[in-house]
Each structure stands twice: as structure tokens, then as C-alpha cells.
Amino acid sequence: MRLPKLSKLELQIMEVLWDKGPTAIRDIQESFGPKGRPAYTTVQTMVYRLEGKKALRRARKIGNAHIFEAVISRDAAKARLVDEFLSLFGGRMQPVMAQLIEAGNLSPKDVSDAEKLLRELAARKKKDA
Amino acid sequence: MRLPKLSKLELQIMEVLWDKGPTAIRDIQESFGPKGRPAYTTVQTMVYRLEGKKALRRARKIGNAHIFEAVISRDAAKARLVDEFLSLFGGRMQPVMAQLIEAGNLSPKDVSDAEKLLRELAARKKKDA
DNA sequence: GCTAAGCTCTTACTGTTGTAGTAGGACGAT
DNA sequence: ATCGTCCTACTACAACAGTAAGAGCTTAGC
């Protein structure tokens, strides 16, 4: 299981580790806003499961509290997510782009950023070929 | 539940209805390739669940077999998917586009199609403003 | 040394997804 | 009318996700 599938809550927990580095469960839990935050033991369960999936590991102890750190990189996880998503669209990139672009949630800046990336990518591809 | 969440297999079943129009369970099942196709009753269960979610409905009967048709449109379902996906990226569009574009699975045609769409979108936005 | 606060572990329950078996009704061909 | 075939309706179950309570260990402060 080189790249385990991570659920939404699991991802949110990994985000904390990616942002803050090695972190205790209490700190992970508190980094969810005060309202609607899951119980301490809920976060704990998820952390334990992530440990089982080898997405994170116990790095050391402070007092009797374990400090956890990410094993999987953010990029790898995101790439996995993208793959999942693509597979829902039959693996074809074009309809995905179309759907995203049509979705209408793009700010003008998003559009220009995307265009810039696309131009760079086109240039890179031309050079490769 | 105006736009129920659809799982991967549920989506695949809806795809059949969107492609072929009203269809019987047997036909849905057979439209999964002969290898690795789920059992008839598996498809049946999923169809029943989709019925519960009001994603499809019984349109009529042929003999004793029910014919099912989509209630939810393909576009609505895809829009829902995109939203789900975006929420995993914190709802920010830009990193999603970046990830997709960087993912490297884009053919040159994908790129030019995307650029075209983006230009059209930019033009549309300018006119709206 | 005692006690409270905090952490760990264990256990458990709910809902969803994917999977499918089984019982029985309906229908078409003989 | 009978018999196999097909479909329906129901039931079941495992894995995973989200949720959390409870029991007990650790430790810091007094």
C-alpha cells in the first residue's frame, strides 16, 4: 500500500502535519476551529488509523504525549487525489478540465494563472518533442 | 437531498442511463465489460439505492422487468463531484488547477482545449462586468 | 505522596459502499 | 399445465469512515 487512500477527515489531519510539522494529537484537534471540531478521541482514532495506513508515524514523545509526523508527502497525496478524481471521469482529462472551467467558480486571477500554467506547459511539451 | 452524493459504482451506473437512456438492470450490468463485472444483484442493489436517493426512477415495465431512467442530470452530478473535489483542496480553485495541470497527464490537445475554454470564459466574464 | 489534568488504549456504534445469495413470482415455450 | 429462465425483493455481511465514551496510566504541581 504505497499510497493509501485518505478520506476527507484523514486529509485534514495530514494537512496539519504538513503545515506545522510534527504535532501532538491535542494540537491537531485544536487546529480545527473551535466550532464543529471533532472530539479529541475522534482525532485520535483517525491518527491511529493513519498510522495503520503508514501515512504518519510516531516521531517521539513529549511527556507522555506522542508527537506524530507525516510519512506521506503532500504532493504524493494530492497526486493520488487527482488520480481518484480523474478515474471518476473515465480517466479522460479533457472533460475534467472542461467541467472545472465551466463550473464557474473561477476568479479572473484563477483564469490568468491557469492560462499561464498552460502556456508554460505547452512550451515545455514542445521542447520535449 | 437535492443533489445526493454518488459513489463511484453509482456513478458508473448513472453513466449507463445517461448514455443509453431508460435501461433495465440486466442491460446496465452487461454494459460493464464481461471481465470484472459485478453480479446482477450487486447492480440491482445499487440501482435500488440510487432509487432511494432519487437519482433515478422506475419509468415503466417491460414484461416483469423494470426500466429505470435518470432523474439527476449528468451535468448536475458532475458539478457535485467537482464541488466535492474542490472541498478537499480547501475550496480554493487555483491549487486544484495547478495540481491538475502539473499532473502531467495532459495531451497537447487537452492543453489547447483548456486554453480555448479559458479564453472564452475570460471574454464572457469581461462582458458580464 | 496525593490529586487533578491530560494522554493512551480499547471498545463500540452508526452509516455507506461494495458485494452477493436466496426465495419466490412471472412469463414464455412446449 | 409445466418447467426452466429471468426478474424482483429481501437479507446479509465485510470494510471503511466518522463519531465518541470509558478505563486506566503519567505527570506536574502542591
Side-chain angles (χ1 to χ4, degrees), chain B residues 75-92:
Chain B
D75 277 357
K78 300 269 157 150
R80 175 68 146 85
L81 269 188
V82 167
D83 280 354
E84 286 286 319
F85 185 63
L86 278 180
S87 85
L88 293 180
F89 279 75
R92 296 175 329 279

Side-chain angles (χ1 to χ4, degrees), chain A residues 46-90:
Chain A
M46 284 305 173
V47 167
Y48 287 173
R49 286 179 186 168
L50 284 167
E51 195 184 10
K53 292 183 184 182
K54 305 253 196 290
L56 51 77
R57 78 165 89 90
R58 294 168 197 230
R60 58 182 190 280
K61 277 187 104 169
I62 290 185
N64 65 337
H66 292 291
I67 305 300
F68 297 87
E69 69 186 355
V71 169
I72 292 177
S73 78
R74 185 182 234 136
D75 276 357
K78 299 270 156 145
R80 174 69 146 85
L81 269 188
V82 167
D83 280 355
E84 286 285 320
F85 185 61
L86 278 179
S87 84
L88 294 179
F89 280 76

Side-chain angles (χ1 to χ4, degrees), chain B residues 7 9 39 41-42 45-46 49 53:
Chain B
S7 72
L9 182 53
T41 48
T42 300
T45 300
M46 284 304 173
R49 286 178 186 168
K53 292 181 183 182

